[in-house]
């Protein structure tokens, strides 16, 4: 399991998460950032610094944000 970036990031793209990630698993998309689940080490550094509270561990993702699991997977399949 990895962390997932959700709707508050959309069009916000603050970027603090990218700066603190020790394994560079966060990539910038057109309108938000995405976390590569194959590289993420579940350290939680990104979650702690997100100013819009858009990052959740996949196990703690609110039901209304679950679509972002699939959006994240699709981003890294392209």
């Amino acid at each position: 399991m990895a962390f997932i970036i959700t709707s508050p990031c959309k069009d916000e793209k603050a970027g603090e998460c990218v700066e603190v990630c020790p394994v560079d698993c966060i990539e910038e998309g057109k309108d938000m950032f995405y976390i590569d689940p194959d590289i993420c080490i579940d350290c939680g550094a990104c979650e702690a610094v997100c100013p819009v509270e858009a990052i959740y561990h996949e196990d703690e993702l609110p039901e209304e944000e679950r679509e972002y699991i699939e959006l994240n997977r699709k981003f890294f399949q392209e």
Side-chain angles (χ1 to χ4, degrees):
M1 295 292 170
F3 283 84
I4 304 289
I5 299 176
T6 62
S7 63
C9 182
K10 200 168 180 102
D11 298 321
E12 172 66 33
K13 296 192 339 183
E16 285 91 335
C17 56
V18 176
E19 296 169 18
V20 300
C21 180
V23 293
D24 295 325
C25 71
I26 302 173
E27 294 189 23
E28 186 172 357
K30 181 181 174 210
D31 55 4
M32 62 181 285
F33 289 101
Y34 297 88
I35 297 174
D36 188 332
D38 294 330
I39 300 173
C40 179
I41 59 171
D42 293 333
C43 70
C46 58
E47 182 183 31
V49 300
C50 181
V52 294
E53 298 180 356
I55 304 174
Y56 295 88
H57 193 275
E58 192 171 343
D59 291 339
E60 299 170 356
L61 200 61
E63 190 62 39
E64 65 272 11
E65 300 287 356
R66 298 214 51 88
E67 68 183 284
Y68 284 88
I69 294 172
E70 188 58 31
L71 291 172
N72 193 71
R73 283 195 185 108
K74 284 181 180 177
F75 179 82
F76 288 102
Q77 289 175 348
E78 296 176 354

